[in-house]
Amino acid sequence: MVDLKGQYQTIKTQVNSSISQILEDATFVNGPAVKEFQTALEAYLGVKHVIPCANGTDALQIAMMGLGLEQGDEVITADFTFAATVEVIALLKLTPVLVDVEPDTFNIDPVALENAITPKTKAIVPVHLYGQCANMDAILAIAEKHNLYVIEDNAQGIGAKHTFKDGNKVMSGTMGHVAATSFFPSKNLGCYGDGGAIFTNDDDLAHTLRGIVNHGMYERYHHDVVGVNSRLDSIQAAVLNAKLPLLDTYNAKRREAARKYSKAFAGHPNILVPKTVNNCEGICDNCDCHVFHQYTLRILNSDRDALAKYLNEKGIPCGIYYPIPLHLQKAYADARYDEANFPVTNQLVKEVISLPMHTELDDEQIAYITGAVIEFIDTE
């Protein structure tokens, strides 16, 4: 699904040199490489504060801890996403409220979101799924109307931009009260282990978050807040320092691959290609609304699972993100949920399939992959 070996070859000299320097200096935790990355990412995003941490799940949890949410507070998020989003809500003894998503963008449905708000609702977690932003115009308006926090789950969307209705264009992860991201190796900006970060423009919140990630300490052995141990190590920061200047190039290569995929599938009655918020399918010139962390099709009137098996038999990796709605997962099942409220998610889990998507895809590979998909569907 990703070619990290090929990508490594293009940054090998810098990565190896930086890691060797860290080994020589023994600056393994909170070393200069971490500060360098933090500063560079703040500049890239145009956000006041980046707080590096150990992984993306921690980033979400720490963001919620920093906002002071209390046991029983309701937090609304999408039913169609990775479990980490709802996992941290449950871990903090908050009450997760899952709602349906939009059929075209796969992101949280603002109408379903607003319908789910109760007096106990305190926060919204929009997930920028597969690499494009949720409808932040609507979400921020709803949050302001109901006095709710907005916590952006930006684990899949780093580098994407959202254009507001007034024409203002901003980076994903910079619009809510706080945002979380992951640097898992397969992400568009990935390290060589686990890593994550939290973003905010709120000075007071940033101060709180910096304490939480380091055992609640601002001064050694003085624990001012309840914290956790969640720090980005210097070796991972060194890898990210090598990759961050190339992130826009990486994302452009992903968009180019998506453009070729979509062109090959264009007009096929049983294949729905990804749609962007601008309805350009990610193929317009200078498109920056989607960074294609995943290239995800909807397969209609055909056996999606049989297609996945067929592709694997032909040596083509693929992924089903996600096969089971969160509201039907054993850990998060709840009598409050009504199946009638999840028509889109319940359909998507039967249809979606993600094809290989990375910076090293070439025309021959794309032709082989698309040919195999079309061959199976046309002959099934």
Side-chain angles (χ1 to χ4, degrees):
M1 292 291 286
V2 295
D3 182 8
L4 295 175
K5 290 183 178 180
Q7 189 185 69
Y8 167 64
Q9 294 304 317
T10 66
I11 56 174
K12 181 176 181 178
T13 300
Q14 181 181 349
V15 167
N16 289 0
S17 175
S18 297
I19 291 176
S20 294
Q21 190 63 55
I22 290 167
L23 297 177
E24 291 288 343
D25 296 341
T27 53
F28 302 119
V29 178
N30 284 339
V34 177
K35 180 62 177 177
E36 178 185 345
F37 174 66
Q38 172 190 324
T39 302
L41 188 56
E42 287 169 347
Y44 174 81
L45 294 171
V47 70
K48 290 179 70 175
H49 303 285
V50 166
I51 298 93
C53 63
N55 57 71
T57 306
D58 278 6
L60 275 171
Q61 178 175 324
I62 292 161
M64 293 180 194
M65 291 172 69
L67 292 173
L69 300 178
E70 298 179 353
Q71 184 172 338
D73 286 347
E74 292 180 353
V75 180
I76 301 175
T77 193
D79 187 39
F80 187 65
T81 184
F82 183 58
T85 312
V86 70
E87 180 178 72
V88 296
I89 300 171
L91 281 170
L92 294 173
K93 304 299 183 183
L94 308 172
T95 301
V97 177
L98 299 169
V99 300
D100 212 0
V101 296
E102 297 173 325
D104 291 337
T105 68
F106 311 112
N107 282 322
I108 193 167
D109 181 346
V111 175
L113 186 165
E114 187 157 27
N115 288 339
I117 293 172
T118 76
K120 293 183 179 180
T121 306
K122 294 296 186 292
I124 303 165
V125 184
V127 181
H128 301 322
L129 197 71
Y130 297 153
Q132 72 172 327
C133 294
N135 184 345
M136 294 303 290
D137 289 85
I139 291 167
L140 291 173
I142 292 168
E144 183 176 4
K145 176 181 175 182
H146 296 277
N147 194 29
L148 304 176
Y149 291 119
V150 175
I151 306 162
E152 294 177 70
D153 183 338
N154 197 37
Q156 299 185 15
I158 195 162
K161 295 180 180 178
H162 176 75
T163 303
F164 285 98
K165 292 179 180 178
D166 64 4
N168 185 37
K169 183 176 291 191
V170 297
M171 302 294 291
S172 62
T174 67
M175 294 169 278
H177 295 87
V178 64
T181 200
S182 167
F183 302 125
F184 188 75
S186 62
K187 303 300 185 186
N188 295 36
L189 179 63
C191 54
Y192 291 163
D194 271 320
I198 311 147
F199 319 143
T200 185
N201 285 306
D202 186 318
D203 296 341
D204 292 336
L205 178 57
H207 176 74
T208 300
L209 296 171
R210 289 196 177 96
I212 293 173
V213 300
N214 190 30
H215 299 289
M217 293 189 295
Y218 301 100
E219 181 181 351
R220 194 162 179 79
Y221 302 125
H222 291 253
H223 304 274
D224 294 352
V225 296
V226 175
V228 297
N229 177 20
S230 185
R231 295 168 298 209
L232 180 68
D233 75 66
S234 298
I235 288 176
Q236 303 308 331
V239 175
L240 294 167
N241 280 327
K243 287 189 174 185
L244 180 57
L246 300 171
L247 178 57
D248 286 345
T249 299
Y250 290 162
N251 288 340
K253 288 182 177 180
R254 286 172 175 267
R255 280 192 289 268
E256 179 62 21
R259 185 177 295 115
K260 292 173 180 177
Y261 273 142
S262 292
K263 184 177 180 181
F265 295 130
H268 196 290
N270 294 328
I271 301 175
L272 294 183
V273 299
K275 295 286 186 179
T276 71
V277 292
N278 297 325
N279 291 318
C280 66
E281 300 179 4
I283 58 175
C284 62
D285 292 338
N286 301 316
C287 177
D288 56 11
C289 62
H290 206 315
V291 295
F292 289 98
H293 173 63
Q294 301 291 350
Y295 182 88
T296 302
L297 300 173
R298 291 181 63 184
I299 303 301
L300 310 181
N301 305 311
S302 189
D303 189 333
R304 187 274 314 276
D305 292 339
L307 170 60
K309 181 180 179 182
Y310 177 77
L311 293 178
N312 286 330
E313 289 171 350
K314 294 182 73 70
I316 300 171
C318 58
I320 297 172
Y321 311 118
Y322 300 91
I324 304 172
L326 289 176
H327 80 272
L328 293 179
Q329 295 283 358
K330 184 177 179 180
Y332 307 111
D334 194 302
R336 294 173 299 138
Y337 295 133
D338 182 345
E339 286 301 304
N341 291 328
F342 302 99
V344 176
T345 296
N346 286 338
Q347 189 65 30
L348 291 178
V349 296
K350 302 173 187 176
E351 297 175 348
V352 294
I353 187 168
S354 298
L355 302 181
M357 175 50 69
H358 52 82
T359 58
E360 312 306 307
L361 279 170
D362 59 35
D363 289 350
E364 184 178 0
Q365 291 170 327
I366 291 172
Y368 181 68
I369 294 164
T370 56
V373 172
I374 294 170
E375 179 182 51
F376 174 85
I377 294 176
D378 286 349
T379 58
E380 189 191 14

